[in-house]
């Protein structure tokens, strides 16, 4: 029997994960500790995404993967036993806390201390993303639970000490913090330095709204959730997918609204007759390249080196507000999304770049004649299958007052990134759907 390659195993795992998730949509719910949950865990372990690092090692808790996932799930998810995914947003005028995760612009609501509701606006890919993160979190929670007790069934000294730290009010003194981190590193199966690095990461991001509850609380809550689940089935984590959620899949509700809003803005700015170049990228990337150098000169910002282009742009991370302010007077228009697709856009009118000085290493030719000068439409990264939906609607003419307005769409550039598989520099990963297309 021929052994499957890593990429073949991954492809099978992705396919199986999708099939199981689609089945769950019909069923309406599942328990991560149940048969369906175990099947999803097997798929994820076979896929073994690069972003989840040592997830498959039962002896250690994967800290970098934990950082990644917690940044993309609502604060307090670690203690929730009921998670609901729905398309409807019935909570606008309620007292429920609205939470938008630090690094994934998705809306969720805290219904109670143990219940969270996600509002799905990006279709199937967002459902896959959430269930993947929840599956990873459950794998790590079980590892933590297995470190709570010794071989006699008694709670370990390390876990008792962690409980004291979590229940302690106020900040730990330096010596106490060092001891607590050393103790935690034993539970996690990681080195002291690895544990400290993740602790400091969460402490830094804790300053952001709706981020996380800190590493000590996170690890304790994950372990206790599994313990309660073992003691009572009523406390088992359940994930629900509402009927309304499955009704919207493939209907492109948000994609049509999003695309129409963008095209109407182009008409409003009288740019519909100009060649439009679409770029999918982080929103700061293109404006840093086009406006960064001139903004630094104009605002007299402190940047060490102007010679090396890549080093120069790397230093612009903290100058975003100044660059946007400068760009606003030189052809940049920002379009925050209000359709529910959660994909913001920018439009750059290159006819207004005449006075903008580019970085010396940039070879950008300024064309003459406003009718020929391009318009750059920068859209933030779309999410999986959502990208197909948004692009399909963006490429269609705009129907307005029984007339069609067509746009001169000249090019599409995608600055891609993915954390699925490890690979060599220059490797390209193509989704099956694109191959079929």
């Amino acid at each position: 029997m021929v052994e499957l390659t890593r990429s073949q195993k991954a492809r099978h795992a992705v396919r199986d994960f999708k099939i199981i998730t689609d089945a769950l949509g019909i069923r309406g719910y599942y328990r991560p500790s149940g048969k369906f949950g175990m099947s999803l865990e097997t798929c994820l372990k076979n896929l073994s995404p690069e972003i989840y690092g040592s997830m498959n090692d039962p002896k250690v808790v994967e800290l970098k993967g934990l950082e990644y996932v917690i940044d993309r799930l609502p604060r307090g998810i670690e203690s929730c036993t009921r998670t609901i995914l729905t398309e409807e947003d019935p909570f606008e005028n309620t007292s429920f806390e609205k939470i938008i995760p630090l690094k994934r612009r998705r809306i969720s609501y805290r219904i109670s201390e143990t219940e969270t509701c996600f509002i799905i606006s990006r279709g199937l890919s967002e459902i896959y993303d959430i269930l993947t993160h929840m599956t990873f979190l459950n794998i790590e929670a079980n590892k933590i639970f297995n470190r709570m007790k010794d071989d006699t069934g008694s709670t370990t000294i390390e876990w008792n000490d962690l409980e004291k730290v979590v229940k302690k009010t106020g900040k730990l003194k330096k010596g106490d913090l060092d001891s607590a981190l050393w103790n935690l590193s034993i539970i996690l199966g990681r080195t002291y330095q690895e544990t400290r690095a993740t602790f400091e990461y969460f402490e830094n991001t804790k300053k952001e709204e709706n981020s996380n509850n800190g590493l000590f609380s996170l690890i304790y809550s994950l372990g206790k959730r599994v313990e309660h689940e073992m003691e009572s089935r009523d406390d088992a984590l359940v994930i629900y997918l509402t009927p309304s959620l499955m009704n919207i899949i493939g209907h492109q509700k948000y994609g049509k609204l999003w695309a129409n809003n963008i095209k109407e803005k182009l008409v409003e700015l009288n740019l519909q007759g100009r060649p439009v170049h679409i770029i999918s990228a982080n929103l700061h990337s293109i404006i840093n390249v086009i406006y960064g150098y001139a903004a630094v000169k104009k605002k007299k910002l402190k940047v060490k080196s102007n010679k090396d282009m890549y080093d120069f742009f790397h230093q612009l991370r903290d100058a975003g507000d100044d660059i946007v302010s400068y760009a606003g007077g030189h052809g940049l228009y920002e379009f925050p999304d209000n359709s529910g697709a959660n994909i913001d856009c920018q439009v750059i009118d290159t006819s207004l770049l005449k006075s903008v000085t580019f970085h010396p290493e940039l070879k950008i030719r300024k064309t003459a004649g406003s009718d020929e000068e391009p318009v750059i439409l920068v859209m933030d990264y779309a999410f999986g299958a959502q990208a197909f939906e948004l692009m399909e609607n963006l490429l269609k003419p705009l129907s307005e007052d029984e007339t069609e307005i067509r746009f001169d769409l000249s090019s599409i550039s995608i600055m891609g990134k993915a954390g699925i598989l490890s690979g060599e520099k220059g490797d390209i990963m193509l989704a099956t759907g694109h191959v079929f297309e």
Side-chain angles (χ1 to χ4, degrees), residues 5 19 22 32 38 43 48 68 98 139 228 237 276 284 296 315 329 357 359 391 418 425 427 433 436:
T5 65
I19 291 170
D22 292 349
M38 293 297 102
C43 293
S48 189
Y68 181 89
K98 184 177 182 178
I139 291 171
H228 293 153
L237 172 62
V276 177
H284 64 269
V296 164
Q315 295 181 57
T357 305
H359 190 280
M391 193 60 69
K425 185 176 182 180
D427 285 356
F436 290 153

Side-chain angles (χ1 to χ4, degrees), residues 52-338:
Y52 293 155
S54 55
M55 174 187 67
N56 283 344
D57 188 341
K59 301 186 295 298
V60 299
V61 174
E62 170 50 37
L63 293 180
K64 291 302 177 185
L66 208 55
E67 292 174 17
Y68 181 89
V69 165
I70 292 302
D71 280 349
R72 287 156 179 80
L73 292 174
R75 188 191 69 251
I77 191 69
E78 64 273 9
S79 57
C80 288
T81 55
R82 278 170 58 89
T83 299
I84 300 169
L85 279 60
T86 183
E87 178 264 343
E88 300 169 317
D89 187 351
F91 305 119
E92 275 299 332
N93 298 312
T94 67
S95 60
F96 298 131
E97 181 186 10
K98 184 177 182 178
I99 303 176
I100 299 177
L102 184 65
K103 291 189 177 178
R104 188 76 86 215
R105 285 178 300 165
R106 58 167 59 106
I107 296 172
S108 60
Y109 290 89
R110 175 57 45 81
I111 309 301
S112 68
E113 286 187 7
T114 58
E115 184 172 345
T116 293
C117 183
F118 288 93
I119 310 300
I120 304 298
S121 64
R122 301 185 181 191
L124 273 172
S125 290
E126 188 170 15
I127 298 172
Y128 298 148
D129 186 62
I130 292 171
L131 296 191
T132 302
H133 291 340
M134 295 297 290
T135 301
F136 166 82
L137 211 55
N138 205 55
I139 291 171
E140 300 307 309
N142 279 289
K143 290 183 193 176
I144 294 164
F145 170 74
N146 291 334
R147 306 297 288 261
M148 286 175 61
K149 300 183 185 299
D150 58 26
D151 51 8
T152 68
S154 302
T155 306
T156 63
I157 295 171
E158 291 80 19
W159 190 264
N160 287 330
D161 287 345
L162 173 61
E163 189 168 45
K164 291 174 186 175
V165 169
V166 170
K167 294 183 177 180
K168 185 181 179 66
T169 57
K171 291 188 75 172
L172 293 172
K173 296 178 182 176
K174 187 179 186 306
D176 293 336
L177 176 59
D178 288 341
S179 297
L181 287 172
W182 169 249
N183 174 71
L184 183 61
S185 71
I186 296 172
I187 296 172
L188 300 176
R190 312 300 306 212
T191 67
Y192 170 82
Q193 293 299 339
E194 288 171 333
T195 305
R196 187 175 191 95
T198 296
F199 166 79
E200 290 175 349
Y201 176 83
F202 281 129
E203 289 302 297
N204 288 332
T205 55
K206 245 168 90 171
K207 299 168 188 174
E208 304 287 339
E209 186 180 5
N210 296 329
S211 54
N212 67 84
N213 291 321
L215 183 60
F216 291 120
S217 179
L218 174 65
I219 298 301
Y220 180 77
S221 295
L222 285 172
K224 293 299 284 185
R225 181 180 63 71
V226 176
E227 183 182 49
H228 293 153
E229 188 170 280
M230 296 292 184
E231 294 170 352
S232 171
R233 187 171 174 80
D234 292 340
D235 291 327
L237 172 62
V238 184
I239 298 175
Y240 296 92
L241 296 87
T242 65
S244 68
L245 177 66
M246 303 318 293
N247 288 339
I248 63 141
I249 300 305
H251 289 183
Q252 303 194 354
K253 170 184 172 181
Y254 295 100
K256 291 174 184 175
L257 286 172
W258 176 85
N260 282 342
N261 287 346
I262 299 301
K263 288 179 279 192
E264 286 168 2
K265 291 285 186 182
L266 290 173
V267 173
E268 188 180 309
L269 294 170
N270 198 29
L271 299 174
Q272 68 273 23
R274 305 256 296 277
V276 177
H277 298 264
I278 302 170
I279 302 176
S280 174
N282 285 324
L283 295 184
H284 64 269
S285 301
I286 306 303
I287 60 172
N288 280 359
V289 170
I290 293 177
Y291 297 106
Y293 188 79
V296 164
K297 299 291 185 185
K298 180 77 174 177
K299 304 275 186 179
K300 298 181 179 178
L301 303 177
K302 292 182 179 179
V303 175
K304 294 178 184 176
S305 169
N306 290 340
K307 293 181 180 179
D308 181 80
M309 182 170 64
Y310 295 102
D311 179 54
F312 172 75
F313 290 134
H314 183 72
Q315 295 181 57
L316 298 181
R317 288 185 174 186
D318 298 325
D321 291 341
D322 290 310
I323 294 171
V324 170
S325 173
Y326 173 81
H330 297 82
L332 173 70
Y333 302 94
E334 296 191 278
F335 298 161
D337 177 63
N338 58 12

